[in-house]
Amino acid sequence: DGGITQSPKYLFRKEGQNVTLSCEQNLNHDAMYWYRQDPGQGLRLIYYSQIVNDFQKGDIAEGYSVSREKKESFPLTVTSAQKNPTAFYLCASSIRGVGAIVHYNEQFFGPGTRLTVL
Amino acid sequence: DAKTTQPNSMESNEEEPVHLPCNHSTISGTDYIHWYRQLPSQGPEYVIHGLTSNVNNRMASLAIAEDRKSSTLILHRATLRDAAVYYCILRDGTNAGKSTFGDGTTLTVKP
């Protein structure tokens, strides 16, 4: 089955620790995204990547880092610099459009990782 | 960035049509209007998207105002499984990653 997976489903972090959230897709999508969702709120974009070995900061990138070494993988590291990391983290992917219209296509979301700082 | 405004909550009766409104008065010419829905503790699910013309798919219809400053998601016959938070989103077709999520509309479907 084609899809996008995230692991772990639940993650607990002690203050001062870095943690890495996994995101894998087998949809052959070029574009991948990381979002953060706080209770009762919408999604906020952390980082996105249009293609392997390239990524850009979203609206709330401070305290986070990513890598895109393989097309199917886009891991997110929550560093100790992120002061309030407790949240629901969602990864998404989409087909990269053609020409100047790059990102109008639907996004496919993973099931999410709930991160809690102890 | 262009923003969207949606009512916080709406109610519907099962088997009746539902019209979910969205205002996006600062939409730009390259923004696509997307709708997603989300169940608690799950990732959002794509519903429909459009640019200027009305769109239909197996899940819903999207009606876009002529000036594109508002749109309406139409669920033709609501079922209990349609109860979710519905997000109206603008995705910039020329700037990768520029997606603006609001707080969404919580749809309750009564049997």
Side-chain angles (χ1 to χ4, degrees):
Chain A
D1 289 335
I4 182 165
T5 59
Q6 292 184 242
S7 61
K9 186 172 183 179
Y10 298 97
L11 184 59
F12 298 91
R13 190 195 93 170
K14 294 181 180 179
E15 286 197 26
Q17 278 185 336
N18 293 352
V19 290
T20 297
L21 283 59
S22 169
C23 177
E24 303 277 333
Q25 54 98 359
N26 60 4
L27 300 167
N28 200 33
H29 288 170
D30 284 306
M32 296 188 74
Y33 310 79
W34 273 106
Y35 293 90
R36 169 183 172 138
Q37 186 173 35
D38 292 290
Q41 298 185 24
L43 281 65
R44 291 184 290 167
L45 183 65
I46 305 172
Y47 269 97
Y48 61 97
S49 169
Q50 300 180 65
I51 202 165
V52 174
N53 293 323
D54 182 68
F55 49 82
Q56 287 81 39
K57 293 181 180 180
D59 298 323
I60 55 165
E62 185 175 351
Y64 301 97
S65 66
V66 293
S67 63
R68 187 81 188 279
E69 297 177 0
K70 297 186 296 183
K71 186 175 184 178
E72 58 270 22
S73 179
F74 191 41
L76 172 74
T77 297
V78 184
T79 74
S80 56
Q82 170 50 237
K83 297 306 178 187
N84 186 22
T86 294
F88 189 44
Y89 289 87
L90 289 156
C91 181
S93 69
S94 70
I95 296 173
R96 191 162 178 259
V98 296
I101 308 301
V102 177
H103 280 274
Y104 61 85
N105 293 293
E106 63 180 280
Q107 290 179 310
F108 292 80
F109 283 84
T113 292
R114 190 166 300 279
L115 173 64
T116 303
V117 173
L118 301 173
Chain B
D1 295 342
K3 303 293 183 186
T4 62
T5 303
Q6 300 175 252
N8 287 335
S9 62
M10 291 186 65
E11 282 190 354
S12 171
N13 293 318
E14 197 175 11
E15 301 294 316
E16 291 185 355
V18 182
H19 289 65
L20 298 168
C22 182
N23 288 320
H24 29 77
S25 59
T26 59
I27 190 170
S28 72
T30 55
D31 283 334
Y32 285 75
I33 302 160
H34 283 237
W35 284 82
Y36 291 78
R37 67 184 185 183
Q38 185 180 27
L39 294 171
S41 297
Q42 294 187 23
E45 174 190 29
Y46 168 81
V47 177
I48 199 167
H49 79 277
L51 183 62
T52 56
S53 303
N54 294 344
V55 183
N56 299 298
N57 67 20
R58 62 174 180 82
M59 291 181 69
S61 295
L62 176 61
I64 301 173
E66 195 169 338
D67 63 4
R68 299 209 325 126
K69 293 185 177 182
S70 66
S71 61
T72 303
L73 178 70
I74 303 165
L75 306 179
H76 296 286
R77 291 180 65 195
T79 69
L80 297 179
R81 290 180 297 177
D82 291 324
V85 178
Y86 285 79
Y87 293 102
C88 169
I89 301 149
L90 301 182
R91 295 199 69 196
D92 189 331
T94 62
N95 188 339
K98 296 286 280 185
S99 296
T100 306
F101 276 74
D103 290 338
T105 296
T106 300
L107 174 65
T108 301
V109 180
K110 296 182 289 185

